[in-house]
Amino acid sequence: MATMTHDIAAQRLRSGLILAVLSASSFGLSGSLARGLMNAGWSAAAVVAVRVLVAAVVVMPIAVRQLRGDWQLLRRNASLITAYGLVAVAGTQLAYFNAVAHMAVGVALLIEYTAPIAVVGWLWVRYRERPGAATVAGAALGITGLFLVIDLRSGLSTSWVGIAWALAAMIGAAGYFVLSAHGDGSLPGTVLAAGGLLIGGLALLAAGAVGIVPLHATTNPVVFQHFTVPWWPPILALGIVTAAVAYVSGIAATRLLGSRLASFVALFEVLAALLFAWALLGEAPRVIQLLGGALILGGVIVVRRGEPDTTELPATAP
């Protein structure tokens, strides 16, 4: 029995890590695709709104099938789905775009990606899950790696408005991991993703309609490093790969690993974004950034060693 339990726990860990890396890699592709569209005349908010709404259309049929007509399940989890759409999807994106309007992109990204520390702090305050020495050491390695990966060269021009928006984006990113792991296990992850994407997309459209963010698009060709494509293939890739696949696999990974470990594995998104930018935009990573990626990997491994034994984790993390 003990061997069987251990095998199940090991399989769960492997599956969770594979899904988490898939999610981080999918999210990492979004920046390069979005940059191409924005260079072609799209506003950032328009890219995100179309991205999440396309993803909602892709995921919705699967979600409806998984519900099997149990619409009461939606009503019982309405607050979770709404919070996920407004905080994890729309709120995080809006906060980040407002941050980069007031400060350097690299600085805003660095602040947002301190989200794993916020997750650790939340679990400590809310559930009395005090981080161990390994978790603290892994956090330090991961954040050091982020400094090197982002490779800030433009200096730190202080903007308190920008810092406030970047901190809001960090809270939204932390909320993504906490909300993804939340619930009693009765709500399928695909249903949570579909509902959240739909609500988030509509919220972004509403924000654009009232002028909170600029909302405009074009049909101009999209130019990448070695090729040019019409506007619609990047849109489909953004919706299907970087949103539908990313959010569904991210929710599944977080439910298998717990919000703390999943949030640290998600730091791979920064490294994936660098590699995709190299391939699509010709932005080659520097040696110091590759070193940073190695530190991020080391931080994830250290945090994993500091996690409770997988056999003792509940089916759905708090």
Side-chain angles (χ1 to χ4, degrees):
M1 178 63 71
T3 301
M4 182 180 299
T5 301
H6 176 76
D7 289 343
I8 293 173
Q11 178 60 41
R12 179 179 169 187
L13 174 62
R14 284 193 298 270
S15 299
L17 290 174
I18 291 171
L19 288 168
V21 172
L22 172 62
S23 178
S25 301
S26 300
F27 276 126
L29 176 60
S30 63
S32 297
L33 294 177
R35 173 71 65 81
L37 284 165
M38 288 187 284
N39 289 343
W42 287 64
S43 68
V47 172
V48 177
V50 173
R51 171 194 175 202
V52 298
L53 288 174
V54 168
V57 171
V58 171
V59 177
M60 196 67 69
I62 305 173
V64 170
R65 184 173 181 180
Q66 287 189 336
L67 277 174
R68 297 185 178 89
D70 186 7
W71 303 109
Q72 289 290 339
L73 187 61
L74 284 181
R75 283 190 280 272
R76 290 197 301 271
N77 292 276
S79 59
L80 172 60
I81 296 171
T82 301
Y84 188 84
L86 295 180
V87 176
V89 178
T92 305
Q93 297 294 333
L94 279 175
Y96 178 70
F97 291 140
N98 278 288
V100 299
H102 294 89
M103 65 195 307
V105 173
V107 180
L109 187 63
L110 176 61
I111 294 173
E112 180 181 353
Y113 272 87
T114 57
I117 296 178
V119 171
V120 171
W122 166 257
L123 293 176
W124 188 358
V125 172
R126 179 66 177 84
Y127 298 102
R128 299 294 186 268
E129 295 183 13
R130 184 173 182 175
T135 299
V136 174
L141 278 176
I143 296 304
T144 301
L146 280 177
F147 270 105
L148 298 181
V149 166
I150 294 172
D151 191 16
L152 301 175
R153 296 177 299 170
S154 58
L156 297 175
S157 55
T158 303
S159 167
W160 295 112
V161 174
I163 290 173
W165 279 116
L167 287 172
M170 179 269 289
I171 293 171
Y176 161 78
F177 296 107
V178 173
L179 291 170
S180 294
H182 189 71
D184 58 6
S186 63
L187 183 69
T190 305
V191 177
L192 174 59
L197 287 166
L198 180 60
I199 291 173
L202 294 176
L204 284 166
L205 289 180
V210 300
I212 296 177
V213 293
L215 203 63
H216 53 82
T218 73
T219 57
N220 296 333
V222 181
V223 180
F224 294 105
Q225 182 182 10
H226 298 300
F227 58 93
T228 300
V229 296
W231 63 272
W232 57 268
I235 287 294
L236 290 181
L238 276 169
I240 296 172
V241 178
T242 76
V245 172
Y247 279 102
V248 171
S249 58
I251 291 171
T254 305
R255 290 182 172 183
L256 287 168
L257 300 176
S259 53
R260 178 164 52 198
L261 179 56
S263 68
F264 277 91
V265 179
L267 294 177
F268 279 114
E269 181 185 338
V270 179
L271 185 57
L274 280 175
L275 297 177
F276 283 123
W278 185 8
L280 296 178
L281 304 175
E283 299 176 357
R286 290 168 290 279
V287 174
I288 192 171
Q289 293 176 310
L290 297 177
L291 175 60
L295 288 179
I296 291 173
L297 174 60
V300 171
I301 294 173
V302 171
V303 170
R304 167 57 199 145
R305 293 179 65 87
E307 285 286 290
D309 192 298
T310 315
T311 60
E312 298 175 2
L313 291 174
T316 302

